Amino acid sequence: AETVRQSLQHARGEVARALHVEQGTDVFHLLLVHRENGLPIQLEDRYVVADFAPDCLDQDFSRITPSAYLTAISPLQEAEQVVRAAQPNAAVRKHLNMRDAEPCLVVLRRTWSNGRPVTFGRFHHPGSRYELTGHYTPPGTAPSRSPGVIQLEKLEQ
């Protein structure tokens, strides 16, 4: 990952509301571009309550992801995610090397520790470089995937 911004700020507006803190509360702002084989696949725009992770600005996020660091200092208690399609603004397109008309998937995520929200982030993914895949087997049911059945993610659109 490339760290674009790693700074101390004061929570305002939607950040303060999302983190359930007073306006002006100290938060760390992290902006990172994650790459796979040199290609940008995610812009992570995350806010962390400063008193939750006081050493956050000392971390080298090119070596450890913010998620790994935050989980190491305190186990995740709860998480909330919203996934939506959106047209990114010019700054997001630039960071992710996206075409002008290309949509992206945006994941809004909030995490809790010790009974309070401690992080809030927006994770932008270029639509052409991202997909969601899942497989569900109800509890008590044996999986029915046999070697001869093609997995959906291998099918063409």
Side-chain angles (χ1 to χ4, degrees):
E2 170 197 351
T3 302
V4 177
R5 183 175 301 121
Q6 193 171 351
S7 62
L8 175 66
Q9 295 185 357
H10 301 293
R12 300 276 182 241
E14 73 175 358
V15 172
R17 287 189 302 276
L19 292 171
H20 296 234
V21 297
E22 296 292 324
Q23 298 277 340
T25 298
D26 286 346
V27 295
F28 298 124
H29 183 211
L30 307 175
L31 187 66
L32 294 95
V33 177
H34 296 270
R35 289 183 167 72
E36 184 174 295
N37 299 322
L39 189 64
I41 59 167
Q42 181 187 75
L43 180 65
E44 176 176 354
D45 185 8
R46 186 191 299 248
Y47 295 86
V48 180
V49 176
D51 69 3
F52 168 71
D55 298 327
C56 188
L57 295 184
D58 298 329
Q59 304 309 304
D60 179 356
F61 292 119
S62 67
R63 302 188 74 195
I64 182 173
T65 66
S67 292
Y69 161 69
L70 294 165
T71 301
I73 64 169
S74 181
L76 176 68
Q77 179 186 26
E78 191 175 339
E80 174 184 33
Q81 288 194 141
V82 174
V83 179
R84 61 174 60 131
Q87 284 295 340
N89 64 30
V92 171
R93 283 195 312 272
K94 182 178 177 185
H95 284 300
L96 294 173
N97 295 333
M98 294 175 64
R99 296 181 318 273
D100 284 348
E102 183 178 0
C104 65
L105 287 178
V106 180
V107 177
L108 300 176
R109 182 182 306 146
R110 181 169 40 182
T111 62
W112 279 257
S113 185
N114 298 318
R116 67 178 181 143
V118 292
T119 72
F120 166 65
R122 284 181 210 85
F123 302 81
H124 290 84
H125 306 86
S128 64
R129 294 175 230 151
Y130 193 81
E131 68 181 19
L132 297 173
T133 303
H135 184 88
Y136 173 73
T137 304
T141 304
S144 60
R145 291 175 98 171
S146 63
V149 176
I150 190 166
Q151 295 176 347
L152 286 177
E153 62 267 20
K154 293 182 180 177
L155 296 176
E156 295 294 321
Q157 293 187 26

